[in-house]
Amino acid sequence: MQNEDQRNILLAVVLSAVILFGWTFAQEYFFPPTPEQIAARQAAQQQQSQTQAASTGESSIPELPGNLDAMLSLSEGLPREQVLATQERVIIDTPTIRGSVSLTGGRIDDLTLKNYQESIDDGSPNVTLLSPVGTANPYYADFGWISSDRTLPVPGNDTVWQASSNRLTPEAPVTLTWNNGQGLTFERTLRIDKGYMINISQRVSNATNKAVDLAPYSLISRTGTPETLGYYILHEGPIGVLEGKLQEVDYSDLQEDKRVDGATTGGWLGITDKYWLTALIPDQQQAVTTRFLYNGKNGVDRYQTDFFYAVQSVTPGQNIEFNSNFFAGAKEVPLIDKYDTELGIQDLDLAVDFGWFYYITKPFFYALHWLTGIVGNVGLSIMALTVVIKLILFPLANKSYVSMAKMRKLQPKLTALRDRFGDDKQKLNQEMMTLYKQEKVNPMAGCLPIVVQIPIFFSLYKVLFVTLEMHQAPFYGWVHDLSVPDPTSLVNFFGLLPWGVPEAGSIIAFLNIGIWPVLMGITMFLQQRLNPQPTDPVQAKVFLFMPLFFTFLLGSFPAGLVIYWTWNNLLSIIQQAVIMKKAGVPLGRTPEPSKS
């Protein structure tokens, strides 16, 4: 009976893994939605948004200085260069980014990442992170003041600022100045480092004869719903750490809720993509009100994250000043950790989705990062880290493989018992227990080590999937980017036949698997043949099908993950074969029991 329990547990673990890793991919690659279904879904979402807006009376994002809705309605998707040329700008130039700040409105709305390209193709443009109003999908950060007195002029979207310099660099900050004509002078000093952090110091001087009430704000606005990977293990969209807790809001959820209010002292909030992040970081010692907002007016999706400091009264002759930071760039873990420490930002590293096993996943990342610095290739560092993990887990895995070897050695006797007492389950279980005691075998000994290793595998999987280490990192041969699937295809016999490969969504796209997934399937099959084979014919067929299923499933995984899995299987085969040889167990098919 314990032998059957062991098989059931192993089967449950395998099937759970299939469900865990396969459901999202199966939906996308085996059952992709038709264009008609996509159009119907978008129409339903738009209708739902309009209905909810009408019922709640919230037709637009709460008003900030200026008429942003009017500006958005004028957006015609003009060429980026044309829009940038229409406004006077302060140039941004650092070792990592280039861009500009618009003097009309004072928005940071033009940023390009110097160290990252859109693809590995020659001549591929650099990644554009922020874009100004007037382009197809504006994405920018804005900072300013709000007053309860609507007659009081405050800086707005059409305000033209005066700049102390036309160039912002790590060595030279820039101060923007604007006078409202009624005795209030607003200043905004921008300081940028050599990474991706911009410090914003907002100051107002009151030269009038009466006190005024003002509250500073910071916001990030993004027009258009970006294309996301749609994997449940990776969050893309509005995000923040508020009151010490990570808050992740999906685009679809925000479309439904329209607005998510909060408050925090310390922390941050912004919008994340898989590899890029924009984040507003208030003074970590002051309380702020936070919001995640959505506006679908005129059929245009617009998302906003913002925070407000408390209203303060500025008396005649007084100056007040508020400091905040704005991160806009690549989610480079060592740099983000540096900001955590040096600027005292609470949990900015949670912008990288390390997942449930954070305290395992992050050390794995730094191990991979360190090894890459030594061997000079991410693919080789993945293989080296796999060896290190195998060594650390050697006692646990060794126990598992020894137990499997003993069980495999008993397989002929167990089969004989099943043939002899198959109709008498009670007698069969008694005889099996007697056999286990005689041979000093614990049939469950091989299960626990496997269960313990699942969090380790999943953590390493997360590291390879969500971090920048693999992004456009080359390996050897035909793999030029470890972050995308193997580019070869079974359809054209890995490039030997003179036709192309099917596009995603076509009826035979699931056949689009490369050489590395095939190698992974072969190693998985070989490893399976070394394990004790289930005596139940149904379970045996299910286990026999698993390598084939995972071969097609992993065909859509990044090549780096498939290389890891293949290499890990190969090391396990070697280790298991050595143990079986020492135990005197044949490596081939288990011999049938004697019929005499």
Side-chain angles (χ1 to χ4, degrees):
M1 186 66 180
Q2 289 188 357
N3 188 38
E4 291 187 3
D5 290 341
Q6 181 191 27
R7 299 301 172 205
N8 291 335
I9 291 175
L10 287 174
L11 182 60
V13 170
V14 171
L15 293 179
S16 297
V18 170
I19 294 172
L20 185 64
F21 295 113
W23 175 244
T24 300
F25 302 99
Q27 281 188 308
E28 181 175 354
Y29 290 95
F30 291 97
F31 306 104
T34 65
E36 293 77 10
Q37 290 174 325
I38 295 175
R41 187 184 307 163
Q42 292 175 342
Q45 290 176 345
Q46 182 175 349
Q47 179 64 34
Q48 182 183 29
S49 298
Q50 294 172 349
T51 301
Q52 291 176 341
S55 64
T56 60
E58 296 179 354
S59 60
S60 64
I61 289 177
E63 184 179 355
L64 290 175
N67 189 354
L68 189 55
D69 282 339
M71 295 178 66
L72 287 175
S73 67
L74 297 176
S75 178
E76 299 177 353
L78 299 175
R80 179 184 179 83
E81 294 74 14
Q82 179 179 339
V83 174
L84 293 175
T86 60
Q87 300 171 343
E88 188 176 357
R89 292 180 168 270
V90 173
I91 301 301
I92 298 175
D93 188 17
T94 79
T96 56
I97 61 176
R98 66 172 180 268
S100 60
V101 178
S102 173
L103 291 183
T104 300
R107 294 180 295 275
I108 302 175
D109 60 0
D110 170 32
L111 281 183
T112 299
L113 308 183
K114 289 183 176 181
N115 298 330
Y116 299 95
Q117 285 71 44
E118 292 181 0
S119 72
I120 61 174
D121 297 334
D122 293 337
S124 174
N126 292 94
V127 171
T128 297
L129 186 60
L130 301 183
S131 296
V133 171
T135 58
N137 292 303
Y139 188 12
Y140 59 85
D142 193 16
F143 312 89
W145 301 83
I146 294 177
S147 174
S148 57
D149 183 359
R150 293 182 177 272
T151 65
L152 180 68
V154 293
N157 294 305
D158 55 355
T159 297
V160 179
W161 295 77
Q162 300 298 314
S164 62
S165 172
N166 63 357
R167 196 171 188 84
L168 174 62
T169 68
E171 297 75 27
V174 171
T175 298
L176 308 181
T177 305
W178 180 73
N179 190 296
N180 75 343
Q182 297 183 12
L184 293 181
T185 301
F186 297 87
E187 292 183 344
R188 185 181 306 167
T189 300
L190 306 177
R191 298 177 178 86
I192 192 168
D193 67 5
K194 295 181 179 180
Y196 304 110
M197 191 68 73
I198 302 175
N199 175 261
I200 301 97
S201 175
Q202 297 191 82
R203 184 169 53 256
V204 61
S205 302
N206 185 2
T208 69
N209 57 4
K210 63 177 182 178
V212 294
D213 294 334
L214 294 170
Y217 71 86
S218 299
L219 69 82
I220 295 171
S221 177
R222 186 172 198 171
T223 300
T225 304
E227 182 179 352
T228 62
L229 295 177
Y231 296 155
Y232 76 98
I233 64 168
L234 174 69
H235 173 71
E236 298 172 270
I239 188 174
V241 171
L242 309 178
E243 293 296 351
K245 296 181 180 179
L246 177 65
Q247 186 166 354
E248 298 174 331
V249 182
D250 292 335
Y251 288 114
S252 57
D253 291 339
L254 192 54
Q255 289 176 7
E256 181 177 348
D257 296 336
K258 298 294 187 296
R259 174 171 174 167
V260 179
D261 293 297
T264 189
T265 299
W268 54 275
L269 71 163
I271 301 175
T272 184
D273 299 316
K274 181 177 182 179
Y275 295 126
W276 329 119
L277 172 71
T278 57
L280 303 169
I281 305 162
D283 186 318
Q284 298 294 284
Q285 307 303 318
Q286 295 196 43
V288 294
T289 299
T290 64
R291 304 184 305 176
F292 298 103
L293 304 165
Y294 168 76
N295 179 358
K297 190 175 181 180
N298 298 326
V300 178
D301 292 332
R302 179 190 163 212
Y303 305 89
Q304 181 170 304
T305 64
D306 58 40
F307 71 79
F308 303 81
Y309 287 105
V311 174
Q312 286 204 12
S313 179
V314 189
T315 59
Q318 183 186 16
N319 302 326
I320 62 170
E321 182 174 342
F322 289 84
N323 273 282
S324 61
N325 288 291
F326 173 54
F327 178 97
K331 295 195 291 188
E332 301 171 1
V333 177
L335 179 61
I336 289 177
D337 283 343
K338 180 182 177 182
Y339 288 140
D340 269 355
T341 303
E342 294 185 354
L343 301 181
I345 304 171
Q346 185 180 37
D347 296 330
L348 183 60
D349 66 323
L350 294 184
V352 181
D353 194 351
F354 282 126
W356 300 330
F357 304 112
Y358 171 91
Y359 293 103
I360 303 176
T361 308
K362 193 168 183 181
F364 276 179
F365 164 79
Y366 271 108
L368 184 64
H369 182 74
W370 178 74
L371 288 169
T372 301
I374 294 177
V375 302
N377 183 280
V378 177
L380 291 179
S381 67
I382 292 171
M383 300 175 78
L385 180 59
T386 306
V387 173
V388 172
I389 293 174
K390 296 292 285 186
L391 291 174
I392 294 174
L393 296 178
F394 180 81
L396 198 61
N398 194 64
K399 182 178 180 181
S400 174
Y401 293 144
V402 168
S403 175
M404 288 183 181
K406 290 181 179 180
M407 287 297 299
R408 184 178 174 89
K409 195 172 183 179
L410 289 180
Q411 203 73 22
K413 296 181 180 180
L414 292 171
T415 301
L417 289 176
R418 186 176 295 275
D419 292 340
R420 185 178 177 185
F421 302 105
D423 296 331
D424 189 346
K425 297 297 183 182
Q426 183 175 359
K427 181 64 174 178
L428 174 62
N429 291 333
Q430 290 175 353
E431 292 295 328
M432 290 172 63
M433 291 298 297
T434 300
L435 179 61
Y436 292 147
K437 291 179 180 179
Q438 289 175 351
E439 300 294 337
K440 298 180 180 179
V441 173
N442 180 1
M444 302 301 295
C447 296
L448 182 59
I450 295 175
V451 175
V452 172
Q453 291 180 63
I454 290 178
I456 295 175
F457 166 79
F458 189 72
S459 297
L460 185 57
Y461 168 81
K462 286 281 287 187
V463 169
L464 300 180
F465 186 78
V466 305
T467 62
L468 264 169
E469 289 294 310
M470 281 204 308
H471 180 62
Q472 297 180 2
F475 190 50
Y476 295 101
W478 60 92
V479 178
H480 304 295
D481 185 353
L482 289 167
S483 66
V484 299
D486 188 320
T488 57
S489 176
L490 179 65
V491 174
N492 62 6
F493 205 70
F494 313 119
L496 296 179
L497 300 178
W499 55 70
V501 298
E503 297 181 357
S506 66
I507 193 169
I508 60 172
F510 72 95
L511 292 174
N512 193 24
I513 59 173
I515 296 176
W516 274 105
V518 171
L519 293 175
M520 187 285 307
I522 293 173
T523 58
M524 189 174 183
F525 174 78
L526 293 175
Q527 186 180 17
Q528 185 186 83
R529 302 307 292 172
L530 295 178
N531 295 335
Q533 300 303 306
T535 54
D536 187 322
V538 175
Q539 291 185 7
K541 291 179 180 179
V542 170
F543 273 81
L544 185 64
F545 175 74
M546 286 292 98
L548 183 63
F549 180 85
F550 273 89
T551 296
F552 285 96
L553 178 64
L554 266 69
S556 62
F557 274 48
L561 290 172
V562 182
I563 290 172
Y564 155 74
W565 204 328
T566 306
W567 177 239
N568 183 70
N569 285 350
L570 184 60
L571 294 176
S572 299
I573 289 171
I574 295 173
Q575 182 180 358
Q576 196 167 351
V578 171
I579 292 174
M580 290 176 65
K581 185 176 181 180
K582 288 183 178 180
V585 179
L587 299 183
R589 190 179 292 270
T590 303
E592 294 294 330
S594 174
K595 299 293 184 182
S596 59

